[in-house]
């Protein structure tokens, strides 16, 4: 039986100095720090090794359009209605990258678990959440192929289906990790917003 490849940690020396960007979402301003040399990441030996081991590339280092799209959906969602039905809301952001959608969820009063395959992405997401004044969050290094045992009332995901091989694991994770009466918001720059709720009911 083949061992699973270790989950990656993009080395800090591959990232360059961080760049701070102010992102406006429906009149709300969020600060996001991102790696300054993300375009040079692919040349780093550690990134070559991660790709050789599991075809992994550190796409998390950019702030992608669908992350902005998801953040906008998050601030427009009627969370009070969901909380009345489900109780206190915790959101799992899948493949959080720099964490913008999860930070938007924190701003709306949700508790957030930032998850990503790359430990360095989690550090950026946590630092960004803290820079925006939030503390009600945690981080989880997560391989989509091995979903968590915990079910969440809210799942958030953006820019994750850029490769066909990602679709089946992501669908499996949603089926496993989403509460039966929960809500999943998933955005893709080609598909816009997908709103999934109560997925296990026939």
């Amino acid at each position: 039986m083949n061992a699973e490849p270790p989950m990656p940690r993009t080395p800090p020396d591959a990232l360059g100095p961080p760049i701070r960007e102010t992102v406006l979402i429906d009149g709300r301003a969020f600060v996001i720090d991102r790696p300054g040399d993300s375009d040079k990441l692919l040349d780093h030996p550690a990134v070559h090794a991660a790709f050789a081991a599991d075809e992994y590339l550190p796409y998390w280092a950019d702030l992608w359009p669908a992350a902005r799209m998801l953040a906008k959906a998050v601030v427009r969602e009627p969370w009070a209605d969901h909380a009345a039905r489900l109780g206190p809301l915790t959101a799992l952001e899948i493949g959080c990258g720099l964490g913008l959608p999860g930070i938007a969820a924190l701003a709306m009063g949700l508790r957030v678990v930032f998850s990503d395959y790359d430990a360095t992405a989690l550090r950026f997401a946590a630092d960004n959440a803290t820079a925006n004044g939030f503390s009600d969050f945690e981080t989880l290094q997560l391989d989509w192929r091995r979903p968590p045992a915990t079910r969440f009332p809210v799942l958030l995901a953006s820019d994750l289906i850029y490769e066909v091989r990602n679709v089946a694991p992501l669908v499996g994770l949603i089926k496993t990790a989403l509460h039966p009466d929960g809500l999943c918001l998933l955005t893709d720059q080609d598909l816009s917003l997908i709103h999934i709720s109560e997925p296990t009911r026939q």
Side-chain angles (χ1 to χ4, degrees):
M1 182 169 144
N2 293 331
E4 295 287 347
M7 287 190 282
R9 179 187 297 272
T10 301
D13 66 319
L15 303 175
I19 295 173
R20 173 158 291 188
E21 181 176 348
T22 299
V23 181
L24 296 177
I25 303 293
D26 268 16
R28 297 171 182 263
F30 301 104
V31 294
I32 298 293
D33 287 343
R34 57 183 175 82
D37 289 336
S38 61
D39 57 335
K40 298 180 181 178
L41 278 174
L42 300 185
D43 298 328
H44 197 280
V47 175
H48 282 276
F51 184 81
D54 197 30
E55 296 186 34
Y56 171 72
L57 291 172
Y59 292 125
W60 65 266
D62 288 304
L63 185 57
W64 296 97
R68 298 171 187 264
M69 188 189 311
L70 180 56
K72 183 178 290 187
V74 166
V75 301
R76 293 179 176 181
E77 189 69 25
W79 295 113
D81 294 345
H82 298 305
R85 181 168 54 87
L86 293 166
L89 299 176
T90 297
L92 173 69
E93 186 177 1
I94 305 165
C96 67
L98 299 168
L100 176 61
I103 292 167
L106 288 166
M108 300 305 294
L110 282 70
R111 184 171 181 277
V112 173
V113 177
F114 293 100
S115 73
D116 202 281
Y117 191 47
D118 193 311
T120 307
L122 294 174
R123 179 174 62 81
F124 268 82
D127 288 349
N128 282 332
T130 300
N132 282 278
F134 301 113
S135 59
D136 195 15
F137 66 86
E138 61 183 277
T139 61
L140 173 67
Q141 193 168 12
L142 177 65
D143 185 335
W144 304 345
R145 296 163 295 189
R146 297 191 288 276
T150 305
R151 286 184 177 268
F152 295 85
V154 180
L155 299 183
L156 305 174
S158 64
D159 269 317
L160 301 185
I161 49 178
Y162 47 83
E163 293 181 6
V164 172
R165 70 189 183 101
N166 291 339
V167 175
L170 182 59
V171 170
L173 190 154
I174 292 171
K175 288 181 177 179
T176 301
L178 184 60
H179 186 282
D181 294 316
L183 170 71
C184 175
L185 299 178
L186 186 151
T187 55
D188 182 88
Q189 60 185 351
D190 296 320
L191 299 175
S192 189
L193 172 68
I194 301 172
H195 191 291
I196 303 168
S197 60
E198 301 183 354
T200 61
R201 294 188 176 180
Q202 301 298 318

